[in-house]
Amino acid sequence: MRIDILTLFPSMFDGFINESIIKRAIQKGCVKINIVDFRNYSHLSNNQVDDTPYGGGGGMVLRIEPLYEAIMDMKKDSPDAKVILLTPDGVPYKQKLAYDLKNEKHLILVCGHYEGFDERIRSLCDMEISIGDYVLTGGELPAMIVSDSIIRLLDGVITDSSLIAESFTDELLDYPTYTKPQEFMGMKVPDILLSGNHSEIKAWREEKRIERTKERRPDLLK
Ligand code: ADE
């Protein structure tokens, strides 16, 4: 998979692409991530990318031309690339969407910034995603979150068994896990996990997933 991230703050992604699982996914060739500073596509003096809003009001608004040019450039070898705008008024992001997007060959993630963007930028995008009902300073963190959730699902990135019973894959939260020591400050590992009885452990975990979901996220059980 190829992911292009269009941003005005490319260095925000340094840690994201140079650590841990994402770094390994890139090294193994499971994903190619291209961080693109769309300021380089401006034809204005000082590579300006924003301007004052028509109709007045404060703040600066992202202009459409540099993003248009950057998107066209990214799409030149793959016109079917899916362009996604990160914005608080997009569709709420869910694990199901991560599973759908993992099947795309090429994603172009557009990070908005400043106080806003020209409304016509929406017409360049196939989809708009919000990562939650709160407003961030820009689309960079959402772009990392969306990419991370997709990359970890790609073949060869993490072992399949880790993906099978995790939260949200089937509308349930994950079961509780424990490691050594067997007892810490009076808190004990449940006996069942020490029993070696794999079918009973499996049933216990399933039961815990349901119990936890009922307790914490009853909305998921609809
Ligand atoms: N940009 C700013 N806030 C955002 C959010 N909650 N989701 C996606 N993009 C954003």
Side-chain angles (χ1 to χ4, degrees):
M1 172 183 263
R2 167 177 161 189
I3 304 180
D4 300 326
I5 301 180
L6 309 190
T7 173
L8 293 174
F9 302 94
S11 60
M12 282 181 77
F13 293 86
D14 290 351
F16 178 61
I17 59 177
N18 289 309
E19 296 290 344
S20 185
I21 293 174
I22 303 301
K23 177 185 177 178
R24 260 183 284 135
I26 295 168
Q27 284 169 342
K28 280 170 132 182
C30 304
V31 65
K32 183 172 185 321
I33 303 184
N34 214 358
I35 308 294
V36 180
D37 185 347
F38 64 85
R39 193 179 290 284
N40 296 332
Y41 289 85
S42 166
H43 298 300
L44 301 177
S45 61
N46 300 323
N47 288 348
Q48 186 185 338
V49 289
D50 57 356
D51 221 315
T52 52
Y54 278 122
M60 297 294 273
V61 176
L62 223 42
R63 297 170 62 115
I64 189 170
E65 311 98 304
L67 273 171
Y68 172 79
E69 295 211 12
I71 291 170
M72 290 306 127
D73 194 22
M74 296 303 112
K75 275 187 159 182
K76 63 179 188 281
D77 301 322
S78 47
D80 293 336
K82 197 173 191 100
V83 184
I84 300 175
L85 178 67
L86 286 316
T87 170
D89 43 20
V91 295
Y93 194 57
K94 298 269 160 63
Q95 186 69 17
K96 162 86 175 62
L97 190 47
Y99 272 100
D100 289 347
L101 293 175
K102 105 184 229 284
N103 300 317
E104 297 287 335
K105 285 197 168 59
H106 183 187
L107 297 175
I108 302 172
L109 305 184
V110 179
C111 307
H113 230 277
Y114 297 120
E115 286 78 5
F117 49 82
D118 188 292
E119 185 65 18
R120 293 165 291 185
I121 287 172
R122 295 186 200 271
S123 71
L124 307 176
C125 303
D126 302 302
M127 172 177 231
E128 299 176 17
I129 290 178
S130 162
I131 58 150
D133 291 343
Y134 38 81
V135 181
L136 301 165
T137 54
E140 282 73 16
L141 290 170
M144 287 184 229
I145 287 169
V146 169
S147 312
D148 186 287
S149 66
I150 295 168
I151 293 166
R152 63 189 290 286
L153 299 178
L154 297 176
D155 289 345
V157 176
I158 53 180
T159 50
D160 285 350
S161 61
S162 322
L163 299 175
I164 289 169
E166 65 181 5
S167 298
F168 304 115
T169 45
D170 48 9
E171 261 89 57
L172 292 178
L173 299 181
D174 208 351
Y175 52 76
T177 51
Y178 297 84
T179 186
K180 295 180 181 70
Q182 268 189 38
E183 184 172 344
F184 179 74
M185 293 187 168
M187 294 181 283
K188 290 186 177 149
V189 173
D191 289 338
I192 178 87
L193 298 178
L194 310 173
S195 70
N197 185 330
H198 292 291
S199 63
E200 276 190 29
I201 292 174
K202 192 162 177 264
W204 179 85
R205 287 178 166 163
E206 212 40 42
E207 192 184 301
K208 289 290 163 192
R209 296 188 73 197
I210 296 167
E211 195 179 295
R212 180 165 282 192
T213 310
K214 270 189 190 153
E215 206 175 275
R216 301 185 177 198
R217 292 294 305 276
D219 56 299
L220 295 176
L221 287 169
K222 265 187 270 133

Coordinates of all heavy atoms in Angstrom, one line a residue, residues 89-134:
D89 N -15.6 17.6 10.7 CA -17.0 17.4 10.3 C -17.1 16.2 9.3 O -18.1 16.1 8.6 CB -17.7 18.7 9.7 CG -16.7 19.5 8.8 OD1 -15.7 18.9 8.4 OD2 -17.0 20.7 8.6
G90 N -16.1 15.3 9.3 CA -16.1 14.1 8.5 C -16.9 13.0 9.1 O -17.5 13.2 10.2
V91 N -16.9 11.8 8.5 CA -17.6 10.7 9.1 C -16.8 10.2 10.3 O -15.6 10.2 10.2 CB -17.8 9.5 8.1 CG1 -18.8 9.9 7.0 CG2 -16.5 9.0 7.5
P92 N -17.5 9.8 11.4 CA -16.7 9.3 12.5 C -15.9 8.1 12.2 O -16.4 7.1 11.6 CB -17.8 9.0 13.5 CG -19.0 9.7 13.0 CD -18.9 9.8 11.6
Y93 N -14.6 8.1 12.6 CA -13.7 7.0 12.2 C -14.0 5.8 13.1 O -14.0 5.9 14.3 CB -12.3 7.4 12.3 CG -11.3 6.5 11.7 CD1 -11.5 6.1 10.4 CD2 -10.3 5.9 12.4 CE1 -10.6 5.2 9.8 CE2 -9.4 5.0 11.8 CZ -9.6 4.7 10.5 OH -8.7 3.8 9.9
K94 N -14.1 4.6 12.5 CA -14.3 3.3 13.2 C -13.4 2.2 12.7 O -13.0 2.3 11.5 CB -15.8 2.9 13.1 CG -16.8 3.9 13.6 CD -17.1 3.6 15.1 CE -17.7 4.7 15.8 NZ -19.0 5.2 15.3
Q95 N -13.2 1.2 13.5 CA -12.4 0.1 13.1 C -12.9 -0.5 11.7 O -12.1 -0.9 10.9 CB -12.4 -1.0 14.2 CG -11.5 -2.2 13.9 CD -10.0 -1.8 14.0 OE1 -9.7 -0.8 14.6 NE2 -9.2 -2.7 13.5
K96 N -14.2 -0.6 11.5 CA -14.8 -1.1 10.3 C -14.2 -0.4 9.1 O -13.9 -1.0 8.1 CB -16.3 -1.0 10.4 CG -17.1 -1.1 9.1 CD -17.4 -2.5 8.8 CE -18.3 -2.7 7.6 NZ -17.7 -2.2 6.3
L97 N -14.1 0.9 9.2 CA -13.5 1.7 8.1 C -12.1 1.4 7.9 O -11.6 1.4 6.8 CB -13.8 3.2 8.4 CG -13.5 4.2 7.3 CD1 -14.2 3.8 5.9 CD2 -14.1 5.6 7.7
A98 N -11.3 1.2 9.0 CA -9.9 0.8 8.8 C -9.8 -0.5 8.0 O -9.0 -0.6 7.1 CB -9.3 0.6 10.2
Y99 N -10.7 -1.5 8.3 CA -10.7 -2.7 7.5 C -11.1 -2.5 6.1 O -10.5 -3.1 5.2 CB -11.7 -3.7 8.1 CG -11.0 -4.6 9.2 CD1 -11.2 -4.3 10.6 CD2 -10.2 -5.6 8.9 CE1 -10.5 -5.0 11.5 CE2 -9.5 -6.4 9.8 CZ -9.7 -6.1 11.2 OH -9.1 -6.8 12.1
D100 N -12.0 -1.5 5.8 CA -12.3 -1.2 4.4 C -11.1 -0.6 3.7 O -10.8 -0.9 2.6 CB -13.5 -0.3 4.3 CG -14.8 -1.0 4.7 OD1 -14.8 -2.2 4.8 OD2 -15.8 -0.2 5.0
L101 N -10.5 0.4 4.4 CA -9.4 1.2 3.7 C -8.2 0.4 3.5 O -7.4 0.7 2.6 CB -9.1 2.4 4.5 CG -10.3 3.5 4.5 CD1 -9.9 4.6 5.5 CD2 -10.6 4.0 3.1
K102 N -8.0 -0.7 4.3 CA -6.8 -1.5 4.1 C -6.7 -2.2 2.7 O -5.7 -2.6 2.3 CB -6.7 -2.5 5.3 CG -7.0 -4.0 4.9 CD -7.0 -4.8 6.1 CE -6.2 -6.1 5.9 NZ -6.8 -7.2 5.1
N103 N -7.9 -2.3 2.1 CA -7.9 -2.9 0.7 C -7.6 -1.9 -0.4 O -7.5 -2.3 -1.5 CB -9.3 -3.5 0.5 CG -9.6 -4.6 1.5 OD1 -8.8 -5.4 1.8 ND2 -10.8 -4.5 2.0
E104 N -7.4 -0.7 0.0 CA -7.0 0.3 -1.1 C -5.5 0.2 -1.4 O -4.7 -0.1 -0.5 CB -7.3 1.8 -0.6 CG -8.8 2.1 -0.3 CD -9.6 2.2 -1.6 OE1 -9.0 2.5 -2.6 OE2 -10.8 1.9 -1.5
K105 N -5.2 0.5 -2.6 CA -3.7 0.4 -3.0 C -3.0 1.7 -2.7 O -1.8 1.7 -2.4 CB -3.6 0.2 -4.5 CG -3.9 -1.3 -4.9 CD -3.4 -1.5 -6.3 CE -3.4 -3.0 -6.6 NZ -4.8 -3.6 -6.5
H106 N -3.8 2.8 -2.8 CA -3.1 4.1 -2.6 C -4.1 5.1 -1.9 O -5.2 5.4 -2.4 CB -2.7 4.6 -4.0 CG -2.0 5.9 -4.1 ND1 -1.7 6.6 -5.3 CD2 -1.5 6.7 -3.1 CE1 -1.1 7.7 -5.0 NE2 -1.0 7.8 -3.7
L107 N -3.6 5.6 -0.8 CA -4.4 6.6 -0.1 C -3.7 7.9 -0.1 O -2.5 8.0 0.0 CB -4.7 6.2 1.4 CG -5.4 4.9 1.6 CD1 -5.4 4.6 3.1 CD2 -6.9 5.0 1.1
I108 N -4.4 9.0 -0.2 CA -3.9 10.4 -0.1 C -4.6 11.0 1.0 O -5.8 11.3 0.9 CB -4.0 11.1 -1.4 CG1 -3.4 10.4 -2.6 CG2 -3.5 12.6 -1.3 CD1 -3.6 11.0 -4.0
L109 N -3.9 11.3 2.1 CA -4.5 11.9 3.3 C -4.2 13.4 3.3 O -3.0 13.8 3.2 CB -4.0 11.3 4.6 CG -4.2 9.7 4.7 CD1 -3.7 9.2 6.0 CD2 -5.6 9.3 4.4
V110 N -5.2 14.2 3.4 CA -5.0 15.7 3.3 C -5.2 16.3 4.7 O -6.3 16.1 5.3 CB -6.0 16.3 2.3 CG1 -5.9 17.8 2.3 CG2 -5.9 15.7 0.9
C111 N -4.2 16.9 5.2 CA -4.3 17.5 6.6 C -4.6 19.0 6.4 O -3.9 19.8 5.9 CB -2.9 17.4 7.3 SG -2.3 15.8 7.4
G112 N -5.8 19.4 7.0 CA -6.1 20.8 7.0 C -5.4 21.4 8.1 O -4.9 20.8 9.0
H113 N -5.3 22.7 8.1 CA -4.6 23.5 9.2 C -5.2 24.9 9.3 O -6.1 25.2 8.6 CB -3.1 23.5 9.0 CG -2.4 23.0 10.3 ND1 -2.2 23.9 11.3 CD2 -2.0 21.8 10.6 CE1 -1.6 23.2 12.3 NE2 -1.4 21.9 11.9
Y114 N -4.6 25.7 10.2 CA -5.1 27.0 10.4 C -6.5 27.0 10.8 O -7.0 26.0 11.3 CB -4.9 27.9 9.2 CG -3.4 28.0 8.8 CD1 -3.0 27.6 7.5 CD2 -2.5 28.5 9.6 CE1 -1.7 27.7 7.1 CE2 -1.2 28.6 9.3 CZ -0.8 28.2 8.0 OH 0.5 28.3 7.7
E115 N -7.2 28.1 10.7 CA -8.6 28.2 11.2 C -9.5 27.5 10.3 O -10.7 27.2 10.6 CB -9.0 29.6 11.3 CG -8.4 30.3 12.5 CD -6.9 30.8 12.3 OE1 -6.4 30.6 11.2 OE2 -6.3 31.3 13.3
G116 N -9.1 27.2 9.1 CA -10.0 26.5 8.2 C -9.5 26.4 6.8 O -8.4 26.8 6.5
F117 N -10.3 25.8 5.9 CA -9.9 25.6 4.5 C -11.0 26.0 3.6 O -12.2 26.0 4.0 CB -9.4 24.2 4.3 CG -10.4 23.1 4.7 CD1 -11.5 22.8 3.9 CD2 -10.2 22.5 6.0 CE1 -12.4 21.8 4.4 CE2 -11.1 21.6 6.4 CZ -12.2 21.2 5.6
D118 N -10.6 26.4 2.4 CA -11.6 26.8 1.4 C -12.5 25.6 1.2 O -12.1 24.5 1.0 CB -10.9 27.2 0.1 CG -11.8 27.8 -0.9 OD1 -12.7 27.0 -1.4 OD2 -11.7 29.0 -1.2
E119 N -13.8 25.9 1.2 CA -14.8 24.9 1.1 C -14.7 24.0 -0.1 O -15.0 22.8 -0.1 CB -16.2 25.6 1.1 CG -17.4 24.7 1.1 CD -17.6 23.8 2.4 OE1 -16.9 24.2 3.4 OE2 -18.3 22.8 2.3
R120 N -14.1 24.6 -1.2 CA -14.0 23.9 -2.5 C -13.0 22.8 -2.4 O -12.9 21.9 -3.3 CB -13.7 24.9 -3.6 CG -14.9 25.8 -3.9 CD -14.5 27.0 -4.7 NE -13.6 27.9 -3.9 CZ -13.2 29.1 -4.4 NH1 -13.5 29.5 -5.6 NH2 -12.4 29.9 -3.7
I121 N -12.1 22.8 -1.3 CA -11.2 21.7 -1.2 C -11.9 20.4 -1.0 O -11.4 19.3 -1.4 CB -10.2 22.0 0.0 CG1 -9.2 23.1 -0.4 CG2 -9.4 20.8 0.5 CD1 -8.4 23.7 0.7
R122 N -13.1 20.4 -0.4 CA -13.8 19.2 -0.2 C -14.1 18.5 -1.6 O -14.2 17.3 -1.6 CB -15.2 19.5 0.4 CG -15.0 20.0 1.9 CD -16.4 20.1 2.5 NE -16.4 21.0 3.6 CZ -16.2 20.6 4.9 NH1 -15.9 19.4 5.2 NH2 -16.2 21.5 5.9
S123 N -14.2 19.3 -2.6 CA -14.6 18.7 -3.9 C -13.4 17.9 -4.5 O -13.5 17.1 -5.5 CB -15.0 19.8 -4.9 OG -13.8 20.5 -5.3
L124 N -12.2 18.0 -4.0 CA -11.0 17.3 -4.4 C -10.9 15.9 -3.7 O -10.1 15.1 -4.1 CB -9.7 18.1 -4.1 CG -9.6 19.5 -4.6 CD1 -8.3 20.1 -4.1 CD2 -9.7 19.6 -6.1
C125 N -11.8 15.7 -2.7 CA -11.6 14.5 -1.9 C -12.8 13.5 -2.1 O -13.9 13.9 -2.3 CB -11.6 15.0 -0.4 SG -10.2 16.2 -0.1
D126 N -12.5 12.3 -1.9 CA -13.5 11.2 -2.0 C -14.2 11.0 -0.7 O -15.3 10.4 -0.7 CB -12.8 9.9 -2.5 CG -12.1 10.0 -3.8 OD1 -12.7 10.4 -4.8 OD2 -10.8 9.8 -3.8
M127 N -13.6 11.4 0.3 CA -14.1 11.0 1.7 C -13.6 12.0 2.7 O -12.5 12.5 2.5 CB -13.7 9.6 2.0 CG -14.0 9.1 3.3 SD -13.5 7.4 3.4 CE -14.9 6.8 4.1
E128 N -14.4 12.2 3.8 CA -13.9 13.1 4.9 C -14.0 12.3 6.1 O -15.0 11.7 6.4 CB -14.7 14.4 4.9 CG -14.6 15.2 3.7 CD -15.6 16.4 3.7 OE1 -16.0 16.8 4.8 OE2 -15.8 17.0 2.6
I129 N -12.9 12.3 6.9 CA -12.9 11.5 8.2 C -12.7 12.4 9.4 O -11.8 13.3 9.4 CB -11.9 10.4 8.1 CG1 -12.2 9.3 7.1 CG2 -11.6 9.8 9.5 CD1 -11.2 8.2 7.0
S130 N -13.5 12.2 10.4 CA -13.2 12.8 11.7 C -12.8 11.7 12.7 O -13.4 10.6 12.7 CB -14.5 13.4 12.3 OG -14.4 13.7 13.7
I131 N -11.8 11.9 13.5 CA -11.4 10.9 14.5 C -12.1 11.1 15.8 O -11.9 10.3 16.7 CB -9.9 10.9 14.7 CG1 -9.3 12.2 15.2 CG2 -9.1 10.4 13.4 CD1 -8.1 12.1 16.1
G132 N -13.0 12.1 16.0 CA -13.7 12.2 17.2 C -14.3 13.6 17.3 O -13.9 14.5 16.6
D133 N -15.2 13.7 18.3 CA -15.9 15.0 18.5 C -15.1 15.9 19.3 O -15.5 16.3 20.5 CB -17.3 14.7 19.1 CG -18.2 14.0 18.1 OD1 -17.9 14.0 16.9 OD2 -19.2 13.4 18.6
Y134 N -14.0 16.4 18.8 CA -13.2 17.4 19.4 C -12.4 18.0 18.3 O -12.2 17.4 17.2 CB -12.3 16.8 20.5 CG -11.7 15.5 20.1 CD1 -10.6 15.4 19.3 CD2 -12.3 14.3 20.6 CE1 -10.1 14.2 18.9 CE2 -11.8 13.1 20.2 CZ -10.7 13.0 19.4 OH -10.2 11.8 19.0

